[in-house]
Amino acid sequence: MSEQSSNQFEIVVIGAGIAGASVAYELAAGARVAVLEMESQPGYHTTGRSAAVYSEIYGPAPMRALTSQSRAFYKNPPAVFGREPLLTPRGVLYIARSDQSDSLEKLKQAIAGQPGVSSVDAEEIQRLSPLLRPGYAVEGLFEENARGIDVNALHQGYLRGLRERGGEVITNAEVMSAERDTGVWTVSTRNGDFSAPVVINATGAWADEFAARAGVKPVGLVPMRRTALIVATPDGVNPEPWPVTVDADEQFYMKPDAGRLLISPADETPSEPCDAQPEEMDIAICIDRIQQAFALDIRRVENSWAGLRTFVDDHAPVCGFDPDAEGFFWLAGQGGYGIQSAPGLSQLAAKLVIGGPLPDGLEARGFKIDDVSPARLRY
Ligand SMILES: Cc1cc2nc3c(=O)[nH]c(=O)nc-3n(C[C@H](O)[C@H](O)[C@H](O)COP(=O)(O)OP(=O)(O)OC[C@H]3O[C@@H](n4cnc5c(N)ncnc54)[C@H](O)[C@@H]3O)c2cc1C
């Protein structure tokens, strides 16, 4: 086979984070697929920096529907995802101080009817999340069926499964330009040119920038930096049974993490697409907010990182063919929910790419395709 023909595919996916890996896996069941990734390791950017929470009450309605739709996959993944469960028990507890009743009420209204969610009083909050300062929170919502995600197993499972299906992953292959000629996209990288009738833009924080390189109009994506820290638990305390504890206004959260605590100021600072790094100020704000809510004396930060959560205005994902650029498919804007929703979103994206009906059960969850279509963002 000549070099040129070996670089011809039916679908080329740009970006090997969870979005690119999952949609490539789904599509490789019936098509010749390549994934091009600019870094030497897939998962280096946002996918490798998440808090690994699965919550069916987190995010806007389309994301909640796609997350619930993902549960069947998480519960019973194909063998290539390994023997260990991808999800492990980890409830999510939203807490409100006496001045945050309105915020909790808004959350309750948004998720009304969601099974497995209960209102909890101050006493129950203290029992569930015993490190909270007594009296700090007066009411809350507890999602018992929330889970922790093994993100690495999920991501690596998709990449392994993709290769088993004959797909290719090419790293160190930043796509510098993309051009369409006679029904075929040709994308250029330092690692050679690749062509296919369909290009999928799964470049995370870079999705608008990559569109521009392809001569496609942007959809208004904004990367937002979020910071996370790992700190020790107080001596002799085992945090493992605790839920993720989230402020009702999402000003902070705390999650047990392998015997330590992952804490975040839940910052959302607009950023250029980049290798995001934590800022001293965000670390200080995080420690201050956490110490106000929890009986924790943070003397040392064991680890800290930041990642970019990328949103359009309505915070729903952008999934579908561009209305003006033939063969250019958007899979972007997953914001802070791109791991938990990856199985459902990638199955939807694959159906849209090959032109099938929507995945079974998705519309019954109240999902509407127009809510995620890139066409809604062209004004
Ligand atoms: C602190 C934090 C906590 C989070 N917590 C959660 C959580 O608990 N649950 C949850 O579901 N989600 C969470 N998220 C969000 C989740 O991590 C993201 O939604 C998800 O990782 C986005 O995946 P992606 O594949 O779109 O992006 P990325 O993982 O960033 O992948 C995009 C890839 O495209 C590549 N790329 C870019 N441009 C090019 C180019 N021109 N050519 C080739 N390759 C290119 C990049 O190198 C990158 O690897 C969190 C995010 C952060 C930052």
Side-chain angles (χ1 to χ4, degrees):
M1 209 184 255
S2 72
E3 195 192 319
Q4 194 188 11
S5 66
S6 72
N7 283 355
Q8 287 173 358
F9 295 87
E10 286 166 279
I11 297 157
V12 171
V13 179
I14 320 298
I18 198 72
S22 56
V23 75
Y25 166 81
E26 292 296 339
L27 286 163
R32 189 161 140 68
V33 181
V35 182
L36 306 179
E37 166 55 50
M38 70 178 173
E39 302 292 350
S40 57
Q41 288 295 326
Y44 176 76
H45 289 289
T46 311
T47 295
R49 306 179 190 203
S50 89
V53 177
Y54 174 98
S55 164
E56 294 183 20
I57 64 170
Y58 186 47
M63 267 306 184
R64 297 200 306 271
L66 289 162
T67 300
S68 300
Q69 182 79 2
S70 302
R71 185 175 276 269
F73 181 97
Y74 275 119
K75 270 189 155 170
N76 194 13
V80 72
F81 287 79
R83 286 162 176 265
E84 297 300 318
L86 293 173
L87 299 183
T88 44
R90 176 71 64 211
V92 168
L93 174 67
Y94 282 88
I95 54 163
R97 298 183 306 263
S98 52
D99 60 322
Q100 292 178 303
S101 301
D102 290 353
S103 306
L104 198 69
E105 193 50 42
K106 259 192 218 154
L107 182 63
K108 280 184 188 169
Q109 281 171 14
I111 58 148
Q114 180 76 33
V117 184
S118 50
S119 293
V120 283
D121 61 14
E123 200 179 326
E124 182 65 356
I125 289 173
Q126 203 65 41
R127 191 188 69 75
L128 289 165
S129 190
L131 206 60
L132 277 167
R133 294 189 185 278
Y136 177 86
V138 297
E139 53 179 333
L141 266 187
F142 183 49
E143 183 191 16
E144 199 179 347
N145 295 330
R147 293 287 183 267
I149 309 172
D150 186 337
V151 178
N152 189 50
L154 178 70
H155 190 215
Q156 293 305 320
Y158 276 128
L159 293 169
R160 222 174 13 250
L162 166 67
R163 290 191 183 100
E164 277 187 6
R165 289 176 169 181
E168 293 183 35
V169 181
I170 298 126
T171 52
N172 297 310
E174 176 175 1
V175 178
M176 307 304 292
S177 67
E179 276 180 28
R180 189 165 176 95
D181 187 24
T182 54
V184 173
W185 284 100
T186 299
V187 300
S188 301
T189 77
R190 264 188 296 275
N191 242 328
D193 290 355
F194 299 81
S195 60
V198 173
V199 159
I200 299 184
N201 179 4
T203 54
W206 286 265
D208 265 351
E209 189 177 296
F210 170 68
R213 290 183 186 189
V216 175
K217 277 190 260 170
V219 293
L221 288 155
V222 182
M224 307 270 209
R225 192 180 62 243
R226 177 159 287 190
T227 309
L229 280 56
I230 297 289
V231 297
T233 39
D235 283 347
V237 173
N238 173 19
E240 274 317 302
W242 303 347
V244 186
T245 303
V246 189
D247 171 65
D249 288 308
E250 213 182 333
Q251 292 292 295
F252 63 79
Y253 61 82
M254 170 195 277
K255 180 192 178 213
D257 185 290
R260 297 182 149 60
L261 299 171
L262 186 162
I263 58 176
S264 173
D267 42 336
E268 292 193 340
T269 311
S271 163
E272 292 298 307
C274 65
D275 183 357
Q277 298 299 322
E279 303 266 327
E280 285 302 320
M281 182 57 92
D282 293 324
I283 292 177
I285 290 171
C286 181
I287 291 172
D288 180 53
R289 288 181 185 169
I290 291 291
Q291 290 190 150
Q292 282 186 37
F294 297 92
L296 193 61
D297 181 16
I298 300 171
R299 305 250 166 125
R300 198 169 79 83
V301 174
E302 295 187 8
N303 189 12
S304 64
W305 68 90
L308 299 176
R309 301 156 79 246
T310 299
F311 298 94
V312 291
D313 272 357
D314 61 16
H315 281 213
V318 187
C319 178
F321 278 107
D322 189 277
D324 306 313
E326 207 190 337
F328 188 94
F329 190 94
W330 290 85
L331 185 56
Q334 294 87 340
Y337 336 102
I339 311 289
Q340 60 180 33
S341 62
L345 184 57
S346 57
Q347 287 164 3
L348 168 69
K351 292 274 189 186
L352 295 176
V353 168
I354 59 176
L358 294 193
D360 284 348
L362 188 55
E363 282 170 305
R365 299 183 194 280
F367 179 86
K368 294 187 209 70
I369 194 66
D370 289 350
D371 292 346
V372 302
S373 159
R376 79 189 194 279
L377 304 161
R378 284 283 156 70
Y379 29 79

